[in-house]
Amino acid sequence: MTTHQRLSYDEFVSLATADPAVVGLVLKGSRAHDGMATRRSDHDLYVVLADGAATGLARFTGHRSPELDLVVLPLDAFRAAGGHERYALARARVVLDRLDGGIARVLADKARLDADEAFTRAGDLLDAYANSLYRSVKNARDGQPLAARLDAADSVGFLLELLFTLDRRPRPYNNKYLRWELDRYPLPGWDTGGLLGAVDRIAATGDVRAQQRLFARVEAAVRGAGLGAVLDAWGDDLALMRPGRR
């Protein structure tokens, strides 16, 4: 349900805090990121209920207004939340925690990928990155500039996901959160300005040499992380991805 009922963030927090069915309140989005909120920023709030609890706050499920967006859900569903929401939860702020730190621990788990999960996912992402990079360079060579640019744009998306996964972190969204995250928590071994500059140039132009130079950095990083076999499976096609070949 979507509603524009007049209800401020502070009013709702007071209402929810007084309800014993509420075990946690979690603020996500720009209001949870230092220095990011503007006068147009709303408050995105998770309202976490004890499993099986009955509460009148259920009427606010799906509430949306220019000031306040609410997600009302039971604790089990909050623990299971992930996918697109994982980065939002990783940088969210605890407003209320009635579980002796249990809500904070859920957020901490969202912020850190399991080592085995990260290794497996990184291998898949590396292969996807290599595939898009290879196609981009090949299309540029074969006189297909639009296809080359589109594949280049795809490749940097996979690359960013790969680099964050190697650091066992969820990838931030492409908008202002990416720059915010990298400015405050740089990826190990990468200069933020250099990385974003290369990504910008590649996504905009499909510059083959820029792609190959970046790949050389990536190849060294992934081989150091134990993922060399993923690249070796590309055989002779690796030559097209490396600097000096077009």
Side-chain angles (χ1 to χ4, degrees):
M1 173 176 116
T2 300
T3 178
H4 291 284
Q5 175 184 348
R6 290 277 184 180
L7 182 68
S8 74
Y9 169 76
D10 290 335
E11 287 169 342
F12 183 82
V13 168
S14 295
L15 186 65
T17 301
D19 190 327
V22 177
V23 296
L25 295 172
V26 174
L27 183 67
K28 66 170 185 171
S30 58
R31 295 279 181 181
H33 288 67
D34 290 334
M36 189 175 286
T38 71
R39 62 184 180 84
R40 295 187 180 89
S41 297
D42 63 1
H43 293 79
D44 294 294
L45 192 68
Y46 277 96
V47 184
V48 186
L49 306 176
D51 291 323
T55 173
L57 293 181
R59 71 186 184 276
F60 291 106
T61 299
H63 174 95
R64 293 190 60 133
S65 75
E67 181 176 354
L68 182 63
D69 287 357
L70 299 175
V71 178
V72 183
L73 74 176
L75 179 59
D76 278 350
F78 178 67
R79 287 191 176 116
H84 184 68
E85 282 290 279
R86 187 158 187 174
Y87 175 74
L89 289 168
R91 294 297 179 204
R93 289 184 181 175
V94 176
V95 177
L96 175 69
D97 189 342
R98 287 198 171 112
L99 300 179
D100 296 325
I103 298 295
R105 286 191 291 275
V106 170
L107 298 184
D109 287 344
K110 302 299 181 186
R112 191 75 172 156
L113 278 62
D114 173 83
D116 291 338
E117 170 197 5
F119 185 81
T120 299
R121 180 154 176 71
D124 293 339
L125 289 166
L126 174 57
D127 198 49
Y129 163 63
N131 183 58
S132 292
L133 167 61
Y134 174 77
R135 289 179 181 277
S136 178
V137 176
K138 184 179 176 183
N139 281 322
R141 181 197 65 189
D142 295 344
Q144 300 290 332
L146 175 59
R149 291 195 302 272
L150 291 173
D151 285 325
D154 286 344
S155 78
V156 293
F158 290 125
L159 173 60
L160 288 171
E161 187 105 15
L162 168 63
L163 296 181
F164 278 99
T165 299
L166 287 172
D167 199 32
R168 296 176 57 189
R169 293 154 59 185
R171 175 187 164 182
Y173 310 127
N174 287 333
N175 57 5
K176 56 190 177 181
Y177 295 104
L178 177 61
R179 169 65 76 172
W180 184 96
E181 181 76 16
L182 289 175
D183 282 345
R184 288 158 179 78
Y185 307 99
L187 289 164
W190 291 89
D191 170 70
T192 292
L195 173 62
L196 291 181
V199 166
D200 187 7
R201 180 173 181 80
I202 289 167
T205 69
D207 185 309
V208 168
R209 290 188 175 87
Q211 292 189 74
Q212 292 170 328
R213 287 194 299 269
L214 185 56
F215 177 74
R217 292 279 320 276
V218 174
E219 181 171 11
V222 297
R223 289 191 183 280
L227 292 167
V230 176
L231 292 181
D232 291 339
W234 280 83
D236 293 341
D237 289 336
L238 274 178
L240 203 62
M241 307 180 205
R242 289 170 172 154
R245 294 291 297 273
R246 292 201 65 167

PDB file of all heavy atoms in Angstrom, residues 99-120:
ATOM      1  N   LEU A  99      17.516  -6.357  20.850  1.00  0.00           N
ATOM      2  CA  LEU A  99      18.013  -7.741  20.868  1.00  0.00           C
ATOM      3  C   LEU A  99      19.439  -7.808  21.395  1.00  0.00           C
ATOM      4  O   LEU A  99      20.199  -8.697  21.017  1.00  0.00           O
ATOM      5  CB  LEU A  99      17.934  -8.329  19.453  1.00  0.00           C
ATOM      6  CG  LEU A  99      16.538  -8.395  18.829  1.00  0.00           C
ATOM      7  CD1 LEU A  99      16.617  -8.978  17.428  1.00  0.00           C
ATOM      8  CD2 LEU A  99      15.586  -9.213  19.697  1.00  0.00           C
ATOM      9  N   ASP A 100      19.795  -6.869  22.250  1.00  0.00           N
ATOM     10  CA  ASP A 100      21.140  -6.869  22.848  1.00  0.00           C
ATOM     11  C   ASP A 100      22.237  -6.926  21.784  1.00  0.00           C
ATOM     12  O   ASP A 100      23.187  -7.702  21.878  1.00  0.00           O
ATOM     13  CB  ASP A 100      21.310  -8.035  23.828  1.00  0.00           C
ATOM     14  CG  ASP A 100      20.370  -7.928  25.025  1.00  0.00           C
ATOM     15  OD1 ASP A 100      20.114  -6.797  25.468  1.00  0.00           O
ATOM     16  OD2 ASP A 100      19.874  -8.976  25.475  1.00  0.00           O
ATOM     17  N   GLY A 101      22.088  -6.104  20.758  1.00  0.00           N
ATOM     18  CA  GLY A 101      23.071  -6.068  19.685  1.00  0.00           C
ATOM     19  C   GLY A 101      22.754  -6.984  18.528  1.00  0.00           C
ATOM     20  O   GLY A 101      23.513  -7.033  17.552  1.00  0.00           O
ATOM     21  N   GLY A 102      21.641  -7.708  18.600  1.00  0.00           N
ATOM     22  CA  GLY A 102      21.297  -8.649  17.536  1.00  0.00           C
ATOM     23  C   GLY A 102      21.028  -7.974  16.204  1.00  0.00           C
ATOM     24  O   GLY A 102      21.395  -8.512  15.153  1.00  0.00           O
ATOM     25  N   ILE A 103      20.387  -6.822  16.231  1.00  0.00           N
ATOM     26  CA  ILE A 103      20.133  -6.089  14.983  1.00  0.00           C
ATOM     27  C   ILE A 103      21.458  -5.627  14.378  1.00  0.00           C
ATOM     28  O   ILE A 103      21.688  -5.748  13.167  1.00  0.00           O
ATOM     29  CB  ILE A 103      19.206  -4.888  15.246  1.00  0.00           C
ATOM     30  CG1 ILE A 103      17.837  -5.356  15.760  1.00  0.00           C
ATOM     31  CG2 ILE A 103      19.064  -4.037  13.987  1.00  0.00           C
ATOM     32  CD1 ILE A 103      17.042  -6.154  14.764  1.00  0.00           C
ATOM     33  N   ALA A 104      22.341  -5.119  15.210  1.00  0.00           N
ATOM     34  CA  ALA A 104      23.657  -4.670  14.727  1.00  0.00           C
ATOM     35  C   ALA A 104      24.441  -5.834  14.133  1.00  0.00           C
ATOM     36  O   ALA A 104      25.153  -5.668  13.134  1.00  0.00           O
ATOM     37  CB  ALA A 104      24.438  -4.026  15.864  1.00  0.00           C
ATOM     38  N   ARG A 105      24.310  -7.021  14.712  1.00  0.00           N
ATOM     39  CA  ARG A 105      25.040  -8.179  14.182  1.00  0.00           C
ATOM     40  C   ARG A 105      24.504  -8.585  12.808  1.00  0.00           C
ATOM     41  O   ARG A 105      25.277  -9.019  11.944  1.00  0.00           O
ATOM     42  CB  ARG A 105      24.964  -9.342  15.163  1.00  0.00           C
ATOM     43  CG  ARG A 105      25.847  -9.159  16.390  1.00  0.00           C
ATOM     44  CD  ARG A 105      25.973 -10.432  17.208  1.00  0.00           C
ATOM     45  NE  ARG A 105      24.718 -10.798  17.868  1.00  0.00           N
ATOM     46  CZ  ARG A 105      24.322 -10.326  19.049  1.00  0.00           C
ATOM     47  NH1 ARG A 105      25.083  -9.450  19.697  1.00  0.00           N
ATOM     48  NH2 ARG A 105      23.190 -10.719  19.576  1.00  0.00           N
ATOM     49  N   VAL A 106      23.204  -8.448  12.605  1.00  0.00           N
ATOM     50  CA  VAL A 106      22.644  -8.735  11.277  1.00  0.00           C
ATOM     51  C   VAL A 106      23.265  -7.798  10.241  1.00  0.00           C
ATOM     52  O   VAL A 106      23.676  -8.226   9.154  1.00  0.00           O
ATOM     53  CB  VAL A 106      21.108  -8.593  11.287  1.00  0.00           C
ATOM     54  CG1 VAL A 106      20.562  -8.659   9.856  1.00  0.00           C
ATOM     55  CG2 VAL A 106      20.472  -9.681  12.142  1.00  0.00           C
ATOM     56  N   LEU A 107      23.358  -6.515  10.574  1.00  0.00           N
ATOM     57  CA  LEU A 107      23.945  -5.555   9.642  1.00  0.00           C
ATOM     58  C   LEU A 107      25.415  -5.867   9.384  1.00  0.00           C
ATOM     59  O   LEU A 107      25.893  -5.746   8.247  1.00  0.00           O
ATOM     60  CB  LEU A 107      23.795  -4.130  10.182  1.00  0.00           C
ATOM     61  CG  LEU A 107      22.367  -3.625  10.377  1.00  0.00           C
ATOM     62  CD1 LEU A 107      22.381  -2.170  10.818  1.00  0.00           C
ATOM     63  CD2 LEU A 107      21.532  -3.807   9.120  1.00  0.00           C
ATOM     64  N   ALA A 108      26.134  -6.249  10.430  1.00  0.00           N
ATOM     65  CA  ALA A 108      27.547  -6.588  10.258  1.00  0.00           C
ATOM     66  C   ALA A 108      27.712  -7.786   9.326  1.00  0.00           C
ATOM     67  O   ALA A 108      28.640  -7.833   8.500  1.00  0.00           O
ATOM     68  CB  ALA A 108      28.184  -6.875  11.617  1.00  0.00           C
ATOM     69  N   ASP A 109      26.807  -8.754   9.430  1.00  0.00           N
ATOM     70  CA  ASP A 109      26.859  -9.915   8.541  1.00  0.00           C
ATOM     71  C   ASP A 109      26.597  -9.515   7.089  1.00  0.00           C
ATOM     72  O   ASP A 109      27.187 -10.087   6.168  1.00  0.00           O
ATOM     73  CB  ASP A 109      25.833 -10.962   8.977  1.00  0.00           C
ATOM     74  CG  ASP A 109      26.243 -11.683  10.256  1.00  0.00           C
ATOM     75  OD1 ASP A 109      27.432 -11.606  10.639  1.00  0.00           O
ATOM     76  OD2 ASP A 109      25.366 -12.307  10.891  1.00  0.00           O
ATOM     77  N   LYS A 110      25.704  -8.546   6.886  1.00  0.00           N
ATOM     78  CA  LYS A 110      25.416  -8.095   5.521  1.00  0.00           C
ATOM     79  C   LYS A 110      26.624  -7.388   4.908  1.00  0.00           C
ATOM     80  O   LYS A 110      26.825  -7.410   3.694  1.00  0.00           O
ATOM     81  CB  LYS A 110      24.219  -7.140   5.513  1.00  0.00           C
ATOM     82  CG  LYS A 110      22.935  -7.701   6.075  1.00  0.00           C
ATOM     83  CD  LYS A 110      22.425  -8.888   5.320  1.00  0.00           C
ATOM     84  CE  LYS A 110      21.118  -9.390   5.901  1.00  0.00           C
ATOM     85  NZ  LYS A 110      20.672 -10.659   5.256  1.00  0.00           N
ATOM     86  N   ALA A 111      27.419  -6.753   5.751  1.00  0.00           N
ATOM     87  CA  ALA A 111      28.548  -5.956   5.265  1.00  0.00           C
ATOM     88  C   ALA A 111      29.756  -6.795   4.879  1.00  0.00           C
ATOM     89  O   ALA A 111      30.682  -6.287   4.235  1.00  0.00           O
ATOM     90  CB  ALA A 111      28.949  -4.933   6.327  1.00  0.00           C
ATOM     91  N   ARG A 112      29.761  -8.064   5.247  1.00  0.00           N
ATOM     92  CA  ARG A 112      30.940  -8.904   5.015  1.00  0.00           C
ATOM     93  C   ARG A 112      30.530 -10.207   4.372  1.00  0.00           C
ATOM     94  O   ARG A 112      29.763 -10.992   4.933  1.00  0.00           O
ATOM     95  CB  ARG A 112      31.635  -9.184   6.354  1.00  0.00           C
ATOM     96  CG  ARG A 112      32.997  -9.823   6.240  1.00  0.00           C
ATOM     97  CD  ARG A 112      34.021  -8.813   5.791  1.00  0.00           C
ATOM     98  NE  ARG A 112      35.377  -9.353   5.849  1.00  0.00           N
ATOM     99  CZ  ARG A 112      36.372  -8.889   5.112  1.00  0.00           C
ATOM    100  NH1 ARG A 112      36.174  -7.891   4.283  1.00  0.00           N
ATOM    101  NH2 ARG A 112      37.578  -9.405   5.210  1.00  0.00           N
ATOM    102  N   LEU A 113      31.009 -10.466   3.160  1.00  0.00           N
ATOM    103  CA  LEU A 113      30.690 -11.700   2.469  1.00  0.00           C
ATOM    104  C   LEU A 113      31.476 -12.859   3.068  1.00  0.00           C
ATOM    105  O   LEU A 113      32.643 -12.704   3.445  1.00  0.00           O
ATOM    106  CB  LEU A 113      31.032 -11.589   0.985  1.00  0.00           C
ATOM    107  CG  LEU A 113      30.034 -10.911   0.041  1.00  0.00           C
ATOM    108  CD1 LEU A 113      29.827  -9.459   0.420  1.00  0.00           C
ATOM    109  CD2 LEU A 113      30.500 -11.025  -1.409  1.00  0.00           C
ATOM    110  N   ASP A 114      30.855 -14.005   3.144  1.00  0.00           N
ATOM    111  CA  ASP A 114      31.542 -15.225   3.553  1.00  0.00           C
ATOM    112  C   ASP A 114      32.687 -15.512   2.585  1.00  0.00           C
ATOM    113  O   ASP A 114      32.563 -15.306   1.377  1.00  0.00           O
ATOM    114  CB  ASP A 114      30.532 -16.383   3.559  1.00  0.00           C
ATOM    115  CG  ASP A 114      31.191 -17.717   3.818  1.00  0.00           C
ATOM    116  OD1 ASP A 114      31.426 -18.041   4.992  1.00  0.00           O
ATOM    117  OD2 ASP A 114      31.488 -18.418   2.826  1.00  0.00           O
ATOM    118  N   ALA A 115      33.805 -16.003   3.109  1.00  0.00           N
ATOM    119  CA  ALA A 115      35.006 -16.192   2.284  1.00  0.00           C
ATOM    120  C   ALA A 115      34.766 -17.151   1.117  1.00  0.00           C
ATOM    121  O   ALA A 115      35.173 -16.883  -0.023  1.00  0.00           O
ATOM    122  CB  ALA A 115      36.157 -16.688   3.150  1.00  0.00           C
ATOM    123  N   ASP A 116      34.114 -18.281   1.367  1.00  0.00           N
ATOM    124  CA  ASP A 116      33.858 -19.243   0.290  1.00  0.00           C
ATOM    125  C   ASP A 116      32.885 -18.673  -0.730  1.00  0.00           C
ATOM    126  O   ASP A 116      33.062 -18.847  -1.943  1.00  0.00           O
ATOM    127  CB  ASP A 116      33.300 -20.545   0.875  1.00  0.00           C
ATOM    128  CG  ASP A 116      34.332 -21.310   1.687  1.00  0.00           C
ATOM    129  OD1 ASP A 116      35.541 -21.081   1.466  1.00  0.00           O
ATOM    130  OD2 ASP A 116      33.942 -22.130   2.539  1.00  0.00           O
ATOM    131  N   GLU A 117      31.839 -17.999  -0.232  1.00  0.00           N
ATOM    132  CA  GLU A 117      30.875 -17.351  -1.124  1.00  0.00           C
ATOM    133  C   GLU A 117      31.579 -16.324  -2.012  1.00  0.00           C
ATOM    134  O   GLU A 117      31.349 -16.258  -3.225  1.00  0.00           O
ATOM    135  CB  GLU A 117      29.788 -16.665  -0.288  1.00  0.00           C
ATOM    136  CG  GLU A 117      28.857 -15.751  -1.066  1.00  0.00           C
ATOM    137  CD  GLU A 117      28.071 -14.797  -0.175  1.00  0.00           C
ATOM    138  OE1 GLU A 117      28.288 -14.760   1.044  1.00  0.00           O
ATOM    139  OE2 GLU A 117      27.235 -14.065  -0.736  1.00  0.00           O
ATOM    140  N   ALA A 118      32.451 -15.526  -1.407  1.00  0.00           N
ATOM    141  CA  ALA A 118      33.136 -14.479  -2.157  1.00  0.00           C
ATOM    142  C   ALA A 118      34.051 -15.084  -3.214  1.00  0.00           C
ATOM    143  O   ALA A 118      34.118 -14.581  -4.356  1.00  0.00           O
ATOM    144  CB  ALA A 118      33.934 -13.596  -1.203  1.00  0.00           C
ATOM    145  N   PHE A 119      34.785 -16.145  -2.881  1.00  0.00           N
ATOM    146  CA  PHE A 119      35.720 -16.750  -3.831  1.00  0.00           C
ATOM    147  C   PHE A 119      34.976 -17.311  -5.038  1.00  0.00           C
ATOM    148  O   PHE A 119      35.366 -17.091  -6.192  1.00  0.00           O
ATOM    149  CB  PHE A 119      36.532 -17.844  -3.150  1.00  0.00           C
ATOM    150  CG  PHE A 119      37.603 -18.441  -4.026  1.00  0.00           C
ATOM    151  CD1 PHE A 119      38.819 -17.804  -4.179  1.00  0.00           C
ATOM    152  CD2 PHE A 119      37.373 -19.632  -4.698  1.00  0.00           C
ATOM    153  CE1 PHE A 119      39.812 -18.350  -5.005  1.00  0.00           C
ATOM    154  CE2 PHE A 119      38.360 -20.184  -5.517  1.00  0.00           C
ATOM    155  CZ  PHE A 119      39.574 -19.536  -5.666  1.00  0.00           C
ATOM    156  N   THR A 120      33.878 -18.029  -4.769  1.00  0.00           N
ATOM    157  CA  THR A 120      33.102 -18.608  -5.866  1.00  0.00           C
ATOM    158  C   THR A 120      32.489 -17.525  -6.737  1.00  0.00           C
ATOM    159  O   THR A 120      32.548 -17.582  -7.976  1.00  0.00           O
ATOM    160  CB  THR A 120      31.984 -19.508  -5.300  1.00  0.00           C
ATOM    161  OG1 THR A 120      32.585 -20.570  -4.550  1.00  0.00           O
ATOM    162  CG2 THR A 120      31.142 -20.095  -6.412  1.00  0.00           C
TER     163      THR A 120
END
